[in-house]
């Protein structure tokens, strides 16, 4: 019942073997159990009830991607924190590295939605952007 | 202080904002009362993405989704009026929206007089042409569950924990057990894991989760967090701080099986065990409440049993998709503005009749737990959307809508689950007596 740390997560994904794996399709509420029979770059998907499940299953097998959302501290902000997100999905294996990097970041008010907080998060080439605006403390007196 | 507005909206969450914008677009002067210091409602703390796919066709985070509506509201007027004095004299600036923040609505009368209070103006009395109730919902707490044991620190609702972590930067615990596998519980399992806490398990009383598959996969499975179905927390241990909980399997009647009890050490228990529409004001005003939804009984305009009082969003029925909230609120806001503009007419000879005339009851049967709207009035539109939830999982399901005993719509669905609100469109010209939305299992 132990919870895995970020490091363990990463190794698990890196060494994921090229063989049968099972996923629950998340594309629609039916939740088909997909079985992916892996052969390099062209895995076969079964268990899906529609095409979208096949696309999802392949992607999830070859390169699982996730969005990361968190908050960073704001200096001089009207609020203590400002929420942020990766501009697009990043490699699942990079999540904890990204979270670690975000934790040590600070931003100065004013902050606008869409503003770049970091150009390249955890070496993924993906920007980290603000999702909350903060006009700064003086603007809310 | 006394004020007037065509439409008074209570709550500036996504529902209140969308209702206000829709009402202003009909030419109404709108006053939105919000008890928090900012608009946005619960979305402010929902920093994860997954909002707006239906409404905007893109995936936004909660704060981004809220910001779009705040911007719409700001375009139509006074912006976040922190002082009500900034508002022009009534009549001078119609079709504007003013948001009064830090302002708590205290009561509503059937005559649509709203009393509210804030630190700047003291007590405010607002005469409203129409009222839109958009107070959202609150979380069920331990009291509503009756878990035995001590009352130590370290027990939070998942939403309260979410607020602490996402808005205040405070981690409520390091070793957690989460009770309830609805979306909020699942999202918090991931959030706490990301912040370095250990989520020992998620326990779910029911044999299935009411959360989205996507959240089960991306928030729990991704991190190998065990998700135990038909399992509950029966006791909390610890004097000052939670030291652990006793969990147990439950039988088919959801009663804990004593022989299965086991201890799990943890310093925090998060409860994600359901949401209750916030309706003290609604009850106080005497509006009829649906015992199943916990919200007001409404017609297709989202008008309650009190003429000119409308309801939408989580105050009306607990929604899982904010996109539906926005659409429902637009309906409520539009008709509220219409009512405010024509209420003299409605209250005259024809009006009183019209409200009681041509009303058709909408009910659910079989697996259908409830249907909103509960009433169809003499509807001006050609179609009406019925929203409903089922009480158990159907895989596949057969959905049949009858009116006056005749089938007017029928559909097969590959799956229906209690966690997903369903909707079906019916044509008003086919309405011919009580409407019944029936759900049953379909042949494989
Ligand atoms: C934790 C969580 C996660 C969610 N995740 C998703 C998701 O991933 N995707 C999705 O589409 N939807 C999600 N939802 C659902 C969606 O956020 C809600 O359905 C939506 O926010 C409801 O909007 P609302 O305006 O009805 O209520 P709220 O957002 O709760 O707003 C109600 C407002 O009314 C104010 N208020 C209440 N009473 C008074 C009073 N007496 N006087 C003045 N003001 C008052 C409150 O302060 C609040 O600002 C989530 C909800 C929660 C709680
Ligand atoms: S495979 Fe198709 S039907 Fe099955 S869950 Fe995925 S999207 Fe839905």
């Amino acid at each position: 019942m132990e919870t895995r740390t970020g490091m363990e997560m990463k190794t698990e994904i890196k060494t994921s073997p090229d063989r049968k794996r099972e996923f629950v399709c998340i594309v629609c509420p039916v939740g088909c159990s997909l079985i992916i029979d892996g052969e390099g770059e062209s895995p076969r998907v079964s268990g899906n009830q529609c095409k979208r499940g096949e696309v999802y299953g392949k992607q999830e097998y070859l390169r699982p991607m996730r969005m990361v959302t968190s908050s960073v501290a704001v200096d001089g902000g009207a609020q203590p924190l400002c929420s942020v997100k990766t501009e697009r999905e990043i490699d699942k294996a990079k999540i904890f590295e990204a979270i670690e990097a975000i934790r040590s970041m600070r931003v100065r008010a004013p902050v606008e939605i869409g503003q770049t907080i970091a150009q390249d998060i955890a070496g993924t080439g993906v920007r980290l952007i603000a999702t909350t605006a903060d006009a700064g403390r003086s603007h809310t007196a | 202080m006394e004020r007037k507005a065509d439409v008074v909206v209570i709550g500036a969450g996504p529902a209140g904002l969308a209702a206000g914008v829709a009402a202003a677009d009909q030419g109404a002067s709108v006053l939105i009362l919000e008890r928090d210091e900012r608009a946005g409602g619960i979305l402010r703390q929902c920093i994860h993405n997954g909002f707006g796919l239906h409404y905007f066709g893109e995936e936004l985070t909660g704060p981004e989704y809220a910001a779009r509506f705040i911007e719409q509201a700001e375009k139509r007027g006074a912006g976040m009026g922190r002082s009500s004095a900034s508002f022009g004299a009534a009549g001078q600036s119609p079709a504007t929206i003013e948001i009064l923040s830090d302002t708590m609505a205290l009561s509503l009368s059937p005559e649509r007089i709203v009393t509210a209070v804030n630190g700047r103006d003291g007590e405010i009395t607002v005469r409203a042409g129409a009222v839109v109730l958009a107070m959202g919902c609150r979380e069920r707490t331990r009291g509503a569950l009756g878990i035995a044991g001590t009352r130590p620190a370290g027990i939070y609702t998942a939403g309260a924990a979410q607020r602490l972590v996402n808005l205040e930067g405070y981690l409520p615990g390091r070793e957690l057990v989460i009770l309830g596998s609805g979306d909020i519980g699942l999202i918090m399992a991931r959030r706490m894991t990301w912040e370095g806490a250990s989520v020992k398990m998620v326990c779910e009383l029911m044999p299935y989760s009411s959360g989205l598959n996507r959240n089960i996969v991306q928030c729990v499975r991704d991190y190998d967090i065990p998700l135990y179905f038909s399992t509950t927390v029966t006791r909390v241990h610890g004097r000052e701080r939670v030291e652990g909980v006793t969990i147990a399997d439950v039988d088919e009647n959801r009663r804990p099986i004593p022989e299965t009890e086991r201890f799990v050490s943890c310093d925090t228990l998060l409860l994600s065990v359901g949401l209750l529409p916030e309706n003290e004001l609604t009850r106080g005003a005497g509006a009829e409440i649906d015992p199943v939804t916990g919200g007001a009984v409404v017609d297709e305009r989202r008008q309650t049993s009190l003429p000119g009082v409308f309801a939408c969003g989580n105050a009306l029925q607990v929604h899982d998709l904010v996109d539906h909230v926005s659409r429902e609120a637009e309906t409520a806001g539009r008709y509220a503005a219409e009512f405010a503009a024509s209420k003299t007419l409605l209250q005259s000879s024809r009006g009183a009749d019209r409200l009681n005339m041509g009303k058709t009851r909408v009910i659910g049967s079989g697996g259908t737990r409830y249907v909103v709207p509960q009433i169809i009035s003499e509807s001006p539109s050609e179609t009406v959307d019925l929203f409903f939830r089922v009480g158990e999982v159907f895989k596949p399901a057969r959905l049949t809508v009858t009116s006056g005993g005749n089938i007017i719509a029928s559909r097969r669905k590959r799956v229906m689950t209690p966690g997903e609100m369903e909707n079906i469109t019916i044509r008003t010209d086919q309405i011919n007596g009580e409407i019944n939305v029936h759900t049953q299992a379909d042949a494989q």
Side-chain angles (χ1 to χ4, degrees):
Chain A
M1 228 168 285
E2 37 112 359
T3 308
R4 296 192 179 214
T5 65
M7 298 316 284
E8 284 163 334
M9 281 282 309
K10 263 187 279 174
T11 28
E12 183 200 54
I13 289 158
K14 263 194 202 136
T15 59
S16 66
D18 265 15
R19 55 184 163 83
K20 270 194 189 176
R21 290 183 58 192
E22 250 190 88
F23 299 116
V24 175
C25 179
I26 64 168
V27 180
C28 93
V30 175
C32 298
S33 295
L34 309 178
I35 296 162
I36 292 80
D37 206 342
E39 269 168 41
E41 291 296 302
S42 55
R44 272 191 312 277
V45 181
S46 55
N48 55 312
Q49 285 185 42
C50 78
K51 182 80 191 159
R52 291 186 299 166
E54 188 183 328
V55 174
Y56 168 79
K58 276 191 183 155
Q59 169 75 28
E60 190 66 8
Y61 182 86
L62 293 172
R63 195 164 173 219
M65 305 287 280
R66 299 286 187 267
M67 290 286 292
V68 172
T69 56
S70 187
S71 309
V72 298
V74 190
D75 291 323
Q79 298 151 267
L81 298 176
C82 164
S83 59
V84 295
K85 70 174 182 186
T86 50
E87 196 177 21
R88 48 195 165 81
E89 296 183 315
I90 63 168
D91 250 316
K92 184 177 160 193
K94 287 278 190 180
I95 291 176
F96 279 92
E97 222 178 304
I99 289 285
E100 210 56 55
I102 292 169
R103 200 172 295 139
S104 59
M105 284 177 196
R106 305 190 71 87
V107 57
R108 242 214 106 70
V111 185
E112 276 178 34
I113 291 184
Q115 181 179 322
T116 304
I117 305 295
Q119 212 34 264
D120 174 3
I121 189 80
T124 56
V126 175
R127 283 198 307 151
L128 186 74
I129 60 175
T131 56
T132 309
D134 192 324
R137 212 166 285 150
S138 55
H139 285 257
T140 54
Chain B
M1 177 190 258
E2 294 228 357
R3 303 207 35 182
K4 262 190 194 169
D6 292 338
V7 175
V8 172
V9 179
I10 304 176
L17 290 165
V21 168
D25 285 349
Q26 299 290 311
S29 65
V30 177
L31 179 65
I32 307 181
L33 308 176
E34 169 56 55
R35 70 173 167 208
D36 206 356
E37 62 178 312
R38 285 185 186 80
I42 197 81
L43 291 185
R44 293 185 50 224
Q45 69 184 59
C46 298
I47 65 168
H48 58 280
N49 74 314
F51 300 83
L53 211 51
H54 298 266
Y55 196 92
F56 292 114
E58 59 182 306
E59 273 198 45
L60 302 170
T61 63
E64 289 172 307
Y65 189 95
R68 297 231 174 154
F69 282 92
I70 293 170
E71 197 184 304
Q72 291 292 311
E74 280 172 350
K75 269 194 200 146
R76 286 163 182 76
M80 282 297 279
R82 294 191 63 87
S83 158
S84 51
S86 71
F87 191 68
Q92 259 178 18
S93 49
T96 58
I97 299 177
E98 183 190 5
I99 304 174
L100 268 191
S101 55
D102 286 317
T103 304
M104 171 98 178
L106 300 174
S107 73
L108 164 69
S109 80
E111 296 77 33
R112 300 182 300 281
I113 295 170
V114 180
T115 56
V117 65
N118 70 30
R120 302 173 300 264
D121 311 303
E123 191 170 289
I124 310 167
T125 308
V126 198
R127 286 177 183 281
V131 173
V132 179
L133 302 169
M135 291 88 68
C137 60
R138 69 178 116 177
E139 292 176 284
R140 273 212 184 90
T141 56
R142 179 183 176 190
L145 289 177
I147 300 171
T150 51
R151 318 234 133 214
I155 306 176
Y156 299 87
T157 61
Q162 185 181 48
R163 194 183 171 89
L164 288 174
V165 180
N166 292 350
L167 296 184
E168 283 154 45
Y170 169 79
L171 202 63
R174 305 223 61 100
E175 275 201 309
L176 292 87
V177 168
I178 299 179
L179 178 59
S181 67
D183 288 315
I184 315 176
L186 299 174
I187 298 253
M188 281 312 289
R190 176 177 65 186
R191 186 72 183 127
M192 296 299 291
T193 305
W194 280 359
E195 289 308 322
S198 152
V199 178
K200 297 199 131 179
M201 61 179 68
V202 177
C203 299
E204 170 58 58
L205 181 68
M206 305 301 286
Y208 53 82
S209 167
S210 61
L212 299 171
N213 277 331
R214 159 172 149 147
N215 287 335
I216 294 174
V217 170
Q218 299 197 346
C219 298
V220 173
R221 293 233 177 119
D222 269 6
Y223 305 98
D224 292 338
I225 298 167
L227 170 53
Y228 297 122
F229 291 114
S230 299
T231 303
T232 193
V233 170
T234 54
R235 182 169 285 274
V236 175
H237 307 267
R239 276 182 186 284
E240 312 266 288
R241 175 86 201 186
V242 173
E243 285 164 15
V245 295
T246 300
I247 63 167
D249 298 351
V250 298
D251 62 23
E252 57 274 19
N253 298 315
R254 286 179 245 156
R255 273 192 305 258
I257 306 166
E259 310 82 76
T260 64
E261 281 197 335
R262 52 224 189 254
F263 177 81
V264 182
S265 88
C266 61
D267 63 15
T268 305
L269 172 65
L270 292 194
L271 302 171
S272 174
V273 290
L275 303 168
L276 300 168
E278 177 78 67
N279 274 303
E280 257 164 64
L281 291 173
T282 323
R283 281 198 189 85
E288 190 185 336
I289 301 283
D290 182 329
V292 183
T293 60
V297 169
V298 293
D299 68 7
E300 76 283 7
R301 300 174 168 88
R302 304 300 183 267
Q303 180 168 243
T304 68
S305 62
L306 303 173
V309 178
F310 297 75
C312 57
N314 278 354
L316 178 60
Q317 56 175 331
V318 173
H319 288 260
D320 29 29
L321 282 183
V322 70
D323 310 65
H324 287 155
V325 169
S326 303
R327 294 227 187 278
E328 179 174 272
E330 283 164 357
T331 303
R334 193 167 63 242
Y335 286 113
E338 189 178 284
F339 183 93
S342 66
K343 65 175 182 292
T344 39
L345 185 125
L346 280 171
Q347 277 165 355
S348 69
S349 55
R350 187 175 162 244
D353 285 353
R354 192 176 137 191
L355 288 166
N356 292 309
M357 209 182 67
K359 276 189 180 175
T360 308
R361 269 271 161 193
V362 186
I363 59 162
S365 68
T368 311
R369 269 187 62 227
Y370 72 78
V371 189
V372 170
Q374 293 88 345
I375 289 169
I376 310 250
S377 302
E378 186 191 80
S379 179
S381 50
E382 282 172 22
T383 59
V384 175
D385 286 334
L386 304 178
F387 293 86
F388 61 98
R389 274 183 203 274
V390 292
E392 58 188 297
V393 179
F394 292 98
K395 209 173 182 175
R398 167 63 58 184
L399 179 62
T400 316
V401 184
T402 56
S403 177
N406 302 321
I407 295 178
I408 59 169
S410 176
R411 214 156 80 194
R412 183 184 145 99
K413 296 214 51 162
R414 275 200 280 210
V415 68
M416 283 173 98
T417 72
E420 304 234 356
M421 190 191 287
E422 303 283 347
N423 70 294
I424 187 161
T425 306
I426 59 164
R427 282 176 40 194
T428 44
D429 62 3
Q430 293 188 323
I431 297 174
N432 177 29
E434 185 174 80
I435 296 167
N436 184 354
V437 179
H438 184 83
T439 315
Q440 66 192 70
D442 202 10
Q444 286 287 338

